[in-house]
Amino acid sequence: VMFASELKCLVGQCESAEEFPSGHYWTRETGYVRYFSPSWLQPALDSPSAEAVVASDETLSVPSGGCDRLRELLSKAVHKRLMSDVGFGLLLSGGLDSAVVCKLMSELVDMRTIKSFTVGMANSPDIMAAREIAKQFGTMHHEYIFTPDEAFAALPTVVYHLETYEPELIRSSIPNYFLAKLAGSHTKVVLTGEGADELFAGYLYFRDCPSREALHRETLRIWGALHNVNLQRSDRMSMAHSLEARVPFLDVEVLQEAFGHIDPSHKMHTAERIEKHAIRALFDGELPHEVLWRTKAMQCEGVGTNWVETLQAKCAEAVSDADFAAAAERYPINPPHSKEEYYYRVLFEKHFHGMDQFIHTWEGGCRAGGAAWKSSAYTRAGLADTSQLKHGLMEGVDVTTEAGTGRKIHAQQQQQQQQA
């Protein structure tokens, strides 16, 4: 029996391999034994099907509490992760989640001693929002500005470290790789905002969620895949630069609160309540307005609103029509649906030949594809409308974000409202 923390260690060394299941340990006598079995996950664990928790309301225990304890638990989670012999920094995306971590850190340490890091293209939503947060809290702020050409050139290295051909994950991992490289040149430990969107239904396809029960099932589904997606990205990209990333939102007490206490109705998106409103309301007036109420952006979106299209075009140029026509024959397991996906598969195959069956892929080619409801917000190619991610901190964007709803109010519209 061989164990490896990365797939690359097993290539050419064994005839078969399997993923070590999360929340388990293993011995020769017992095989896999689950040690992580919180009460809020018990209905799924008691069922013969691992997917049963998202299958029917009969197996689902939906909590009915409020959010009154959430801030205190998040503060405790941040405090735990500030223990370090080598100092620590903060990955500051400019989004709500890392801004919340920044705010909670400011209540515990002198932020003038903290180095913060962000990545993006010039004047991107993330770059401009992160600058505002760093300015308010006084961190020693560092930025990595990249171009689409640089992103395309980094793809072979990113796929090698990431060990996947899943397109949505690769797109977000490219800027994460640059970010980790920057942070790793300054510190050895960073805190991040990872996990909040899985716990609190932050992704924009939740706008179409029909009920609190459906929302609870879906957040559990995507939380259960974290080790194959966002956490794999965070771990592999950071450790490629000897950087340790810590995730306060995934503290076990915060998990218990999010899935075992808070009513999913607090997480629902409505016309009058933007995504993750429950978290935003806890920090109203304590974060820059445009950051507090900005629209959720995945990392591949917030770093630049059109760079993914450029990346996809470059991938398409690298794949011939003849090669793509034979994609299903060459890759019968999870065949590529676009030239972008084909190009990623070629890069994966160079290092991990014969290992394609062990890779997690989203049903429908994206996170939203496996939801119990249909949404046009995301496709296999990414977010359908990236213009909604622009905000008033960006140069040349003359809008104000409305508190509570997240609606964009243009300057002329705002003036008319004031006159009325």
Side-chain angles (χ1 to χ4, degrees), residues 122 136 198 273 342 362:
Q136 175 169 320
E198 284 71 23
R273 203 167 62 188
Y342 187 97
W362 289 114

PDB file of all heavy atoms in Angstrom, residues 122 136 198 273 342 362:
ATOM      1  N   ALA A 122      -4.779  45.230 -14.488  1.00  0.00           N
ATOM      2  CA  ALA A 122      -4.877  46.649 -14.153  1.00  0.00           C
ATOM      3  C   ALA A 122      -6.338  47.091 -14.119  1.00  0.00           C
ATOM      4  O   ALA A 122      -7.128  46.750 -14.999  1.00  0.00           O
ATOM      5  CB  ALA A 122      -4.087  47.468 -15.170  1.00  0.00           C
ATOM      6  N   GLN A 136      -7.868  51.399   4.174  1.00  0.00           N
ATOM      7  CA  GLN A 136      -8.643  51.615   5.395  1.00  0.00           C
ATOM      8  C   GLN A 136      -7.981  50.981   6.608  1.00  0.00           C
ATOM      9  O   GLN A 136      -7.968  51.571   7.696  1.00  0.00           O
ATOM     10  CB  GLN A 136     -10.056  51.043   5.236  1.00  0.00           C
ATOM     11  CG  GLN A 136     -10.882  51.141   6.534  1.00  0.00           C
ATOM     12  CD  GLN A 136     -12.336  50.832   6.336  1.00  0.00           C
ATOM     13  OE1 GLN A 136     -12.931  51.222   5.336  1.00  0.00           O
ATOM     14  NE2 GLN A 136     -12.952  50.126   7.279  1.00  0.00           N
ATOM     15  N   GLU A 198     -19.419  28.511   0.010  1.00  0.00           N
ATOM     16  CA  GLU A 198     -20.037  27.197   0.161  1.00  0.00           C
ATOM     17  C   GLU A 198     -20.946  27.163   1.394  1.00  0.00           C
ATOM     18  O   GLU A 198     -22.020  26.566   1.368  1.00  0.00           O
ATOM     19  CB  GLU A 198     -18.951  26.117   0.292  1.00  0.00           C
ATOM     20  CG  GLU A 198     -18.262  25.764  -1.006  1.00  0.00           C
ATOM     21  CD  GLU A 198     -17.344  26.868  -1.532  1.00  0.00           C
ATOM     22  OE1 GLU A 198     -16.896  27.718  -0.732  1.00  0.00           O
ATOM     23  OE2 GLU A 198     -17.057  26.878  -2.748  1.00  0.00           O
ATOM     24  N   ARG A 273     -32.319  41.510  -1.196  1.00  0.00           N
ATOM     25  CA  ARG A 273     -31.251  41.014  -0.336  1.00  0.00           C
ATOM     26  C   ARG A 273     -30.179  40.335  -1.182  1.00  0.00           C
ATOM     27  O   ARG A 273     -30.392  39.259  -1.738  1.00  0.00           O
ATOM     28  CB  ARG A 273     -31.831  40.042   0.699  1.00  0.00           C
ATOM     29  CG  ARG A 273     -30.984  39.887   1.942  1.00  0.00           C
ATOM     30  CD  ARG A 273     -31.766  39.169   3.026  1.00  0.00           C
ATOM     31  NE  ARG A 273     -32.143  37.807   2.629  1.00  0.00           N
ATOM     32  CZ  ARG A 273     -32.955  37.029   3.327  1.00  0.00           C
ATOM     33  NH1 ARG A 273     -33.486  37.481   4.440  1.00  0.00           N
ATOM     34  NH2 ARG A 273     -33.237  35.816   2.915  1.00  0.00           N
ATOM     35  N   TYR A 342      -9.935  20.917 -24.191  1.00  0.00           N
ATOM     36  CA  TYR A 342      -9.011  19.994 -24.851  1.00  0.00           C
ATOM     37  C   TYR A 342      -7.561  20.370 -24.543  1.00  0.00           C
ATOM     38  O   TYR A 342      -6.722  19.506 -24.251  1.00  0.00           O
ATOM     39  CB  TYR A 342      -9.246  20.027 -26.364  1.00  0.00           C
ATOM     40  CG  TYR A 342      -8.455  18.996 -27.142  1.00  0.00           C
ATOM     41  CD1 TYR A 342      -9.024  17.789 -27.514  1.00  0.00           C
ATOM     42  CD2 TYR A 342      -7.125  19.232 -27.523  1.00  0.00           C
ATOM     43  CE1 TYR A 342      -8.304  16.840 -28.226  1.00  0.00           C
ATOM     44  CE2 TYR A 342      -6.393  18.295 -28.230  1.00  0.00           C
ATOM     45  CZ  TYR A 342      -6.992  17.101 -28.576  1.00  0.00           C
ATOM     46  OH  TYR A 342      -6.271  16.162 -29.269  1.00  0.00           O
ATOM     47  N   TRP A 362     -17.103  18.706 -12.441  1.00  0.00           N
ATOM     48  CA  TRP A 362     -18.466  19.113 -12.118  1.00  0.00           C
ATOM     49  C   TRP A 362     -19.437  18.579 -13.158  1.00  0.00           C
ATOM     50  O   TRP A 362     -19.157  18.609 -14.356  1.00  0.00           O
ATOM     51  CB  TRP A 362     -18.579  20.630 -12.094  1.00  0.00           C
ATOM     52  CG  TRP A 362     -17.912  21.331 -10.962  1.00  0.00           C
ATOM     53  CD1 TRP A 362     -16.853  22.181 -11.039  1.00  0.00           C
ATOM     54  CD2 TRP A 362     -18.270  21.265  -9.572  1.00  0.00           C
ATOM     55  NE1 TRP A 362     -16.522  22.662  -9.786  1.00  0.00           N
ATOM     56  CE2 TRP A 362     -17.379  22.118  -8.875  1.00  0.00           C
ATOM     57  CE3 TRP A 362     -19.260  20.585  -8.859  1.00  0.00           C
ATOM     58  CZ2 TRP A 362     -17.443  22.296  -7.493  1.00  0.00           C
ATOM     59  CZ3 TRP A 362     -19.323  20.760  -7.485  1.00  0.00           C
ATOM     60  CH2 TRP A 362     -18.436  21.605  -6.814  1.00  0.00           C
TER      61      TRP A 362
END
